[in-house]
Amino acid sequence: MSTAPTPHLVGADPQVPRRAVVTGAAGFIGSHLTLALLQAGATVIGVDRRDADSDPAAATNLTLLRDHPAFIPITAELLTCAIEPLLLDADAVFHLAAIPGVRPSWGPRFSDYVTCNILATQRIMDAATRLRVPRLVVASSSSVYGATNGTPSNEIDHPHPASPYAVTKLAQEQLCLAHAARPDCPTTVTALRYFTVYGPRQREDMFLHRLLTAALDDTPIQIFGDGRQRRDFTYITDVVTATIAAATAPTINTVINVGTGTSTSIADTIQLARRLTGARIPTTDTTTRNGDVAATCADTTRARHLLAWTPHVDLATGMAEQFDWITSHQPATV
Ligand code: NAD
Ligand code: UGA
């Protein structure tokens, strides 16, 4: 059996890897994670197939990163690029690149979900183990649990993914863990099951972005179903803190929920947005979308024990931050 290498840590903050690779760095969560790593003193190789010069969302996400001297942006397609040069000398890989989104995964983009979420992950794990990268943190999803009985989901619960997306996320995390379980594998893996992440720069297809944009623009928001579905909304800075902790905590080869342990219905979230913004926010009702589960809520015991992590930002505070951001990034009207 080989001995797992130990990550080098930055001098200033002993909880931060010295040299990190972030895949999906031009995305919502990846760009926040990258900035936090840079601010803590790490060098970050940020890999994404989206290019700030041609993709406006990527440009917005990368605004605060692009000129940082310790940021090395690489525009690359993980399915075809040479992975090993990207991972050379890395102390940790944060593998966030994926095709996200539950509802579109039923459609013609399914092959993208399979290739990006599973095949690209196989390439990353192969390279990480060959280069003896000590730690890989992979972004998994609360969606792997599927329908629940209403109690918080625990990592030992049997997963019942209810959408093609969720199936690919379960495959992604289990693929990483299968590599890591080989006796000769030098890379330890922590799979983080994120619960509906929100905050500034949230993806435009997600509910809170649409809701707060509707408040600003005085346009209606579409509700999929009766609005009684509940989500464990988790604020981006809390997610980033948990993700960085997962790179250095003495935790090996496991899955960990990253959620708050509370959940809020879509109807209550709309009321909260009305109070917060003073807007009417009219709603239109449409049918429940396939693959949408009735409720998500994280059991956070494992995150507390293994990562010494607790979330700090409540929904009202986080939504206010996100609304401020949307307001200040409103395109100027002529
Ligand atoms: P995002 O779409 O904003 O970011 C993902 C990034 O990955 C994109 O910039 C995309 O270009 C990149 N990417 C995808 N496939 C690639 C490939 N083949 N090669 C290179 N780059 C590629 O999504 P996000 O919301 O930031 O999600 C990040 C991760 O967290 C994903 O793995 C997602 O499944 C997971 N997750 C997100 C949430 C959430 O609420 N946002 C919840 C659970 C899990
Ligand atoms: C989110 C992310 O999009 C996934 O990438 C992630 O894997 C998942 O969280 C997770 O927790 O694992 P979802 O919970 O569907 O998925 O997040 P939203 O898109 O914000 O939707 C939340 C709820 O609002 C859903 O019930 C959805 O049907 C509803 N919704 C969404 C609407 O009623 N109207 C909309 O316009 C959008």
Side-chain angles (χ1 to χ4, degrees):
M1 187 186 294
S2 70
T3 317
T6 325
H8 297 95
L9 307 173
V10 295
D13 185 340
Q15 299 308 318
V16 172
R18 176 193 51 100
R19 187 176 173 89
V21 175
V22 176
T23 72
F28 161 46
I29 303 173
S31 62
H32 281 277
L33 171 65
T34 300
L35 184 60
L37 287 165
L38 291 168
Q39 287 172 339
T43 296
V44 181
I45 296 95
V47 189
D48 203 296
R49 67 181 181 181
R50 292 198 290 174
D51 185 344
D53 292 332
S54 56
D55 183 311
T60 304
N61 290 342
L62 292 169
T63 303
L64 298 174
L65 307 175
R66 285 175 91 173
D67 296 330
H68 196 290
F71 180 53
I72 305 167
I74 308 280
T75 303
E77 167 55 73
L78 291 170
L79 287 161
T80 50
C81 71
I83 307 265
E84 288 194 7
L86 304 173
L87 270 47
L88 271 178
D89 195 30
D91 297 301
V93 174
F94 296 91
H95 180 37
L96 272 63
I99 306 299
V102 173
R103 295 165 291 279
S105 66
W106 297 103
R109 289 199 71 198
F110 178 64
S111 58
D112 264 357
Y113 282 81
V114 172
T115 53
C116 294
N117 300 4
I118 305 174
L119 298 183
T121 299
Q122 168 75 4
R123 299 191 82 225
I124 297 272
M125 275 309 300
D126 261 344
T129 54
R130 265 199 304 275
L131 290 175
R132 300 183 63 77
V133 176
R135 181 67 58 93
L136 183 134
V137 180
V138 58
S140 184
S141 156
S142 72
S143 65
V144 304
Y145 290 111
T148 67
N149 62 7
T151 58
S153 297
N154 186 286
E155 292 86 348
I156 62 168
D157 292 348
H158 192 70
H160 290 285
S163 66
Y165 165 71
V167 170
T168 65
K169 293 304 286 185
L170 184 60
Q172 181 181 37
E173 64 165 48
Q174 293 302 317
L175 180 62
C176 294
L177 290 165
H179 277 272
R182 291 179 346 219
D184 62 346
C185 183
T187 305
T188 58
V189 166
T190 308
L192 299 179
R193 292 179 175 167
Y194 296 153
F195 283 65
T196 312
V197 187
Y198 72 105
R201 311 202 297 274
Q202 191 190 40
R203 296 193 332 261
E204 293 186 357
D205 60 292
M206 292 186 70
F207 175 69
L208 285 179
H209 177 86
R210 288 183 174 176
L211 176 65
L212 296 171
T213 303
L216 191 64
D217 297 347
D218 198 22
T219 51
I221 169 96
Q222 272 201 331
I223 307 301
F224 303 153
D226 59 11
R228 284 191 292 178
Q229 69 267 43
R230 305 177 72 83
R231 287 293 176 273
D232 186 339
F233 294 105
T234 312
Y235 194 63
I236 184 68
T237 53
D238 284 328
V239 169
V240 165
T241 307
T243 306
I244 294 176
T248 53
T251 298
I252 52 167
N253 302 341
T254 192
V255 295
I256 303 177
N257 289 339
V258 176
T260 69
T262 59
S263 73
T264 309
S265 72
I266 292 303
D268 286 346
T269 309
I270 295 168
Q271 293 301 348
L272 186 56
R274 287 179 177 138
R275 284 199 298 277
L276 188 72
T277 64
R280 285 180 311 131
I281 321 183
T283 58
T284 58
D285 296 344
T286 69
T287 51
T288 300
R289 297 302 199 254
N290 288 332
D292 244 4
V293 294
T296 66
C297 184
D299 181 328
T300 59
T301 314
R302 194 178 280 190
R304 269 187 277 120
H305 288 164
L306 296 184
L307 303 179
W309 174 83
T310 47
H312 291 292
V313 182
D314 63 47
L315 185 58
T317 308
M319 277 174 65
E321 291 285 330
Q322 185 167 347
F323 186 63
D324 281 352
W325 187 86
I326 290 173
T327 307
S328 61
H329 287 76
Q330 178 78 332
T333 46
V334 191

